[in-house]
């Protein structure tokens, strides 16, 4: 049968509303067991540099060797001081009653976050912009002799950089009511792009 305390504790950790662990950095001396010779000191110093991600430069190597020599001062073997993180579990020994209280705190925290989100969504106001295009041009359509040119992609990116997003693209045909020289009315195709953004 599943341990309910473990399940509750895992849920509390996953919720992230309470810090369940504490990370401490401790320093320990590692005995390599190697005889304290110049060759072994250099080998351990190089390993130390590699482990910490430092370049194998002469100045770094000299500092690492000095570190090894100081760490091995009172020993016949090569030793090295290393730091490591130790994670302390703050609620590992918590009983069922304590875990239930923590669960209630996490539930309340989640409900408050949901309320804040809903308040934010209900308070949103939007504004809109409309672009009417004669044609949709790509970057490849740019004439070599024309300096001022905006492709459809450039138009979208210009609006996007200002916080707008496209909510609809629609094409339509419009008829020019003025009679042309030939005696016929003309039809023009248009592309209508509607943008939306949240008012700040």
């Amino acid at each position: 049968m599943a341990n309910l305390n473990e399940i509750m504790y895992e849920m509390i950790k996953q919720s992230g509303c309470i810090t369940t662990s504490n990370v401490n950095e401790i320093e320990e001396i590692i005995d390599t067991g190697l005889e304290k010779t110049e060759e072994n000191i250099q080998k351990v110093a190089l390993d130390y540099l590699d482990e910490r991600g430092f370049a194998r430069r002469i100045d770094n190597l000299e500092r690492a060797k000095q570190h090894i020599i100081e760490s091995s001062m009172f020993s016949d073997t090569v030793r090295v001081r290393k730091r490591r993180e130790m994670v302390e579990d703050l609620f590992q020994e918590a009983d069922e009653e304590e875990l239930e209280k923590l669960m209630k705190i996490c539930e309340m925290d989640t409900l408050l976050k949901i309320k804040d989100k809903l308040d934010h969504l209900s308070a949103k106001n939007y504004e809109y912009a409309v672009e009417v295009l004669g044609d949709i041009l790509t970057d490849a359509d740019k004439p070599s002799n024309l300096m001022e040119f905006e492709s459809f992609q450039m138009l979208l990116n210009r609006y996007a950089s200002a916080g707008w997003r496209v909510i609809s693209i629609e094409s339509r045909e419009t008829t020019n009511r003025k009679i042309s020289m030939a005696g016929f009315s003309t039809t023009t195709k248009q592309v209508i792009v509607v943008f939306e953004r949240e008012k700040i």
Side-chain angles (χ1 to χ4, degrees), residues 18-46:
I18 295 173
T19 301
T20 59
S21 61
N22 188 36
V23 179
N24 297 313
E25 195 175 68
I26 62 170
E27 188 174 73
E28 57 186 357
I29 296 180
I30 309 295
D31 192 339
T32 64
L34 298 171
E35 187 182 348
K36 198 158 61 172
T37 64
E38 179 63 29
E39 184 182 349
N40 285 338
I41 288 172
Q42 177 150 326
K43 177 185 180 305
V44 174
L46 289 170

Side-chain angles (χ1 to χ4, degrees), residues 40-164:
N40 285 338
I41 288 172
Q42 177 150 326
K43 177 185 180 305
V44 174
L46 289 170
D47 290 344
Y48 179 77
L49 290 177
D50 292 342
E51 187 179 305
R52 299 196 56 148
F54 294 127
R56 288 189 169 196
R57 297 198 318 256
I58 292 175
D59 57 334
N60 285 344
L61 180 58
E62 289 304 315
R63 277 196 285 271
K65 283 168 70 174
Q66 186 60 38
H67 171 77
I68 304 300
I69 291 167
E70 289 172 4
S71 303
S72 311
M73 191 177 295
F74 303 107
S75 171
D76 295 329
T77 54
V78 179
R79 295 185 174 191
V80 58
R81 288 194 317 276
K82 291 186 179 180
R83 295 187 177 203
R84 69 178 176 89
E85 289 185 345
M86 186 178 73
V87 180
E88 178 189 5
D89 204 326
L90 299 177
F91 299 107
Q92 191 171 20
E93 303 301 324
D95 59 27
E96 187 175 343
E97 186 179 343
E98 289 173 317
L99 289 172
E100 284 177 355
K101 287 178 181 177
L102 291 170
M103 284 281 287
K104 285 179 182 174
I105 291 170
C106 290
E107 286 171 10
M108 287 300 297
D109 180 72
T110 302
L111 288 172
L112 286 171
K113 285 177 181 172
I114 291 171
K115 180 185 178 300
D116 288 345
K117 185 71 173 175
L118 290 172
D119 288 346
H120 178 70
L121 289 172
S122 64
K124 278 186 176 180
N125 288 314
Y126 295 94
E127 58 181 330
Y128 298 89
V130 178
E131 280 278 351
V132 179
L133 309 175
D135 197 3
I136 289 182
L137 301 173
T138 66
D139 290 342
D141 295 321
K142 180 178 180 179
S144 57
N145 61 342
L146 187 64
M147 294 299 293
E148 291 185 14
F149 172 83
E150 185 175 50
S151 67
F152 188 58
Q153 182 178 344
M154 291 162 69
L155 171 81
L156 294 178
N157 286 331
R158 175 163 60 83
Y159 272 89
S161 64
W164 297 93

